[in-house]
């Protein structure tokens, strides 16, 4: 900026996503001392309000009623010509599998209860199985966005932390293992996440691919 010229930075606006919108006449560097103090105080108040709001948010599944306890639940399958319905033979085979394999029955109970809804945001989407890496047990079904954000979240408050404390599997009282499609087997429980290439099969595969000629 030339001496005596106009600052190229825009004026400050805070609170654009809330009912209370505040404007300041210049960029931060050109605010008066009083304006800077007001600007900092306003943002601290907003951050505090956001934190309180985040603390109050619970995962959607906490509000879902459990109509039938797992012990009393019996699977049922729609038989018919529609693509999403079973043939009589496939329904019979699946029913036998549910009766002989407790994990299959537990997974079908959870899938039916969630009814295509993400356990955190309740958005109807293509869901993925989220599991606890320590136990290798499925916790619930999440949309891909929530599954990614939950994995990155390390907070002790908010919907992701609450989901880890009380997830669909714990709400329903069911237990079943997570099938790792990458490994083609059930995931193994881990006391800690693998850190080295020697411990992590995905990193080993990636390293092998880099060495292969193209």
């Amino acid at each position: 900026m030339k001496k005596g010229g106009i600052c190229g930075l825009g004026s400050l606006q805070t609170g654009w996503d809330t009912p209370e919108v505040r404007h300041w006449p210049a960029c931060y560097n050109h605010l008066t001392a009083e304006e800077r103090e007001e600007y900092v105080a306003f943002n601290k108040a907003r951050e505090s309000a956001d934190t309180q709001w985040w603390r109050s948010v619970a995962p959607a599944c906490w509000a879902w009623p459990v109509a039938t306890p797992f012990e009393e639940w019996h699977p049922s399958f729609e038989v018919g010509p529609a693509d999403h319905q079973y043939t009589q033979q496939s329904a019979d085979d699946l029913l036998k599998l549910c009766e002989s394999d407790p994990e299959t029955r537990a997974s079908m109970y959870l899938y039916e209860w969630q009814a295509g809804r993400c356990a955190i945001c309740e958005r109807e989407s293509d869901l993925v199985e989220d599991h606890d890496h320590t136990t290798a047990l499925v916790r619930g079904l999440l949309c891909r966005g929530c599954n990614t954000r939950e994995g990155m979240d390390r907070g002790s408050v908010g919907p992701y932390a609450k989901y880890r404390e009380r997830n669909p599997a714990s709400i329903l009282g069911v237990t079943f293992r997570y099938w790792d499609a990458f490994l083609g087997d059930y995931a193994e429980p881990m006391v800690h996440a693998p850190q080295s290439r020697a411990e992590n099969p995905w990193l080993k595969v990636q390293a092998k691919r880099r060495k292969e000629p193209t």
Side-chain angles (χ1 to χ4, degrees):
M1 182 184 78
K2 294 183 180 180
K3 186 176 181 179
I6 299 174
C7 176
L9 299 176
S11 60
L12 294 173
Q13 175 176 307
T14 303
W16 57 270
D17 56 347
T18 65
E20 184 180 5
V21 180
R22 298 290 300 278
H23 299 269
W24 280 264
C27 74
Y28 184 80
N29 292 332
H30 290 89
L31 294 178
T32 66
E34 292 78 10
E35 289 168 342
R36 286 189 187 185
E37 185 176 345
E38 181 186 13
Y39 175 75
V40 171
F42 183 88
N43 279 284
K44 283 185 177 180
R46 279 199 68 215
E47 290 174 2
S48 177
D50 288 346
T51 300
Q52 293 301 319
W53 169 81
W54 187 248
R55 286 176 180 272
S56 68
V57 177
C61 64
W62 281 21
W64 299 345
V66 180
T68 307
F70 182 49
E71 295 75 15
E72 303 173 9
W73 175 80
H74 298 284
S76 61
F77 309 102
E78 293 184 7
V79 177
D83 291 341
H84 66 281
Q85 293 177 331
Y86 295 91
T87 64
Q88 189 62 57
Q89 182 63 53
S90 61
D92 291 343
D93 291 342
L94 195 52
L95 183 59
K96 290 178 182 177
L97 182 60
C98 286
E99 292 173 347
S100 62
D101 182 14
E103 288 192 290
T104 299
R105 185 170 183 269
S107 66
M108 294 201 64
Y109 179 57
L110 182 141
Y111 270 79
E112 181 178 297
W113 183 68
Q114 290 206 211
R117 303 167 294 178
C118 172
I120 293 178
C121 71
E122 204 168 17
R123 182 180 295 110
E124 293 187 5
S125 175
D126 292 332
L127 304 181
V128 297
E129 288 186 352
D130 164 65
H131 73 289
D132 183 347
H133 289 266
T134 302
T135 64
L137 298 176
V138 172
R139 294 186 293 199
L141 308 176
L142 301 178
C143 68
R144 295 187 182 278
C146 283
N147 188 53
T148 300
R149 286 187 287 271
E150 188 283 322
M152 298 175 64
D153 179 75
R154 294 296 180 268
S156 58
V157 298
Y160 302 117
K162 292 177 181 177
Y163 165 83
R164 289 189 287 271
E165 294 171 3
R166 185 166 172 259
N167 49 63
S170 62
I171 292 172
L172 298 176
V174 297
T175 302
F176 62 98
R177 294 170 293 172
Y178 173 73
W179 176 265
D180 191 324
F182 173 72
L183 296 176
D185 198 357
Y186 289 110
E188 291 290 336
M190 275 189 277
V191 177
H192 64 280
Q195 300 296 323
S196 68
R197 181 171 286 108
E199 295 174 280
N200 192 320
W202 173 249
L203 293 178
K204 287 195 291 186
V205 170
Q206 291 293 80
K208 180 180 178 181
R209 288 177 178 175
R210 284 194 291 269
K211 291 180 181 179
E212 292 176 350
T214 56

